[in-house]
Amino acid sequence: MSDVGISIAVVDAKTPGNIGTIARAMKNFGLSELYLVDPPELDPDGDAYGFAGQARTDLLPNAKTVSFDYLVENFHTVGTTATTNSDHRRHVRYPFKTPDELRDSLASVDTETVVIFGRERVGLHNEELERLDEICSIPASDSYPVLNLGQAATVICYALSPLSIESTQQPDRIVRAPEQDIEGLHAEFDRLLGQLGESDDRDRLMRLWRRLLGRAHPTTREVSSLRGVLRRSADRLKPPSRE
């Protein structure tokens, strides 16, 4: 992880709920600095705080109201745009980075960066885009490429999360069961095939079974559960004992 510091700024948002949604996305993906340019009033009992989730207690109350000039003068700036019906000959800024390309670029430098989102309906004005260092655009369907403000911010916060999150709630890796336990599972499957009378096709089915388990990397709990199912199934297929 680089030492890059990433902040989010929202310019002239009209809907408080969108600011709350953005604050929540930032909290989800490890970002904590929110700057607001010409924001609406954020009522603690209104939509902004209602939509912010746990960000209502820290991130949103600590959002800083600043000018657009302040962002340009103090940060490496990245503007966002949908680039609808535009190309390098017609758009005020070109080329555009995707969120993944932006993440990879920022990972290689040490800098304070702010990603700037514009107004709900018209985004950032051309005069604003011209003053920024880079432009980021989210690839989307050509038939409907415009995301709403909250969606766009969530996508970009997620794309940048490898730079802002040390760890997540997901396990880092699968812990494969010990090989002797997996061999025991193979043996139970083989015994079940025997009880089913699969004499001619038994070797082929065992090869398929081993190939499947080899790709699956089962955990200890999974192996134990499957062994129990196979064992009970084979036991029920036993012919009744004769006394």
Side-chain angles (χ1 to χ4, degrees):
M1 181 180 298
S2 77
D3 293 331
V4 63
I6 301 173
S7 302
I8 299 295
V10 186
V11 175
D12 197 17
K14 303 302 181 186
T15 307
N18 275 330
I19 295 177
T21 298
I22 292 170
R24 178 171 185 154
M26 292 174 62
K27 184 87 170 179
N28 286 143
F29 300 116
L31 301 171
S32 59
E33 296 294 325
L34 175 60
Y35 293 89
L36 303 175
V37 177
D38 298 325
E41 182 178 353
L42 302 183
D43 182 353
D45 296 320
D47 285 347
Y49 281 80
F51 292 176
Q54 292 188 12
R56 74 170 70 89
T57 62
D58 50 10
L59 197 155
L60 190 55
N62 292 320
K64 302 176 181 67
T65 300
V66 299
S67 67
F68 193 84
D69 288 343
Y70 176 89
L71 299 177
V72 173
E73 292 167 2
N74 289 276
F75 293 93
H76 171 73
T77 52
V78 180
T80 58
T81 179
T83 67
T84 309
N85 297 324
S86 299
D87 60 24
H88 67 282
R89 294 162 296 181
R90 297 162 57 191
H91 202 277
V92 67
R93 293 297 300 270
Y94 193 86
F96 317 108
K97 280 189 170 75
T98 67
D100 288 345
E101 289 169 342
L102 176 64
R103 178 198 61 230
D104 293 343
S105 172
L106 293 178
S108 64
V109 297
D110 294 339
T111 184
E112 292 293 323
T113 295
V114 63
V115 180
I116 304 173
F117 296 90
R119 303 153 187 86
E120 287 92 340
R121 190 175 65 85
V122 297
L124 293 169
H125 296 153
N126 283 347
E127 295 79 7
E128 293 164 338
L129 290 171
E130 288 174 344
R131 299 183 63 193
L132 304 182
D133 297 310
E134 296 189 81
I135 302 296
C136 179
S137 179
I138 300 169
S141 170
D142 186 54
S143 63
Y144 191 37
V146 181
L147 282 70
N148 70 37
L149 182 56
Q151 286 178 313
T154 300
V155 169
I156 290 181
C157 288
Y158 170 71
L160 297 177
S161 63
L163 304 181
S164 57
I165 296 179
E166 291 285 353
S167 61
T168 71
Q169 83 285 6
Q170 295 179 326
D172 292 334
R173 60 192 179 93
I174 296 172
V175 180
R176 181 179 166 94
E179 293 307 313
Q180 59 267 31
D181 292 351
I182 295 176
E183 284 301 314
L185 178 58
H186 293 327
E188 288 293 350
F189 184 68
D190 187 51
R191 185 166 79 94
L192 177 61
L193 292 179
Q195 295 293 75
L196 289 170
E198 295 285 352
S199 56
D200 295 336
D201 220 16
R202 191 167 177 174
D203 289 343
R204 184 183 68 84
L205 290 172
M206 279 303 303
R207 287 195 300 273
L208 291 176
W209 172 261
R210 282 184 173 274
R211 191 181 306 161
L212 175 65
L213 268 292
R215 294 196 303 269
H217 300 304
T219 65
T220 296
R221 182 175 182 181
E222 291 166 342
V223 167
S224 177
S225 298
L226 288 173
R227 285 184 71 174
V229 170
L230 294 176
R231 182 173 60 253
R232 291 191 297 273
S233 298
D235 288 344
R236 290 180 183 179
L237 291 170
K238 281 183 180 179
S241 60
R242 296 178 180 178
E243 296 183 359

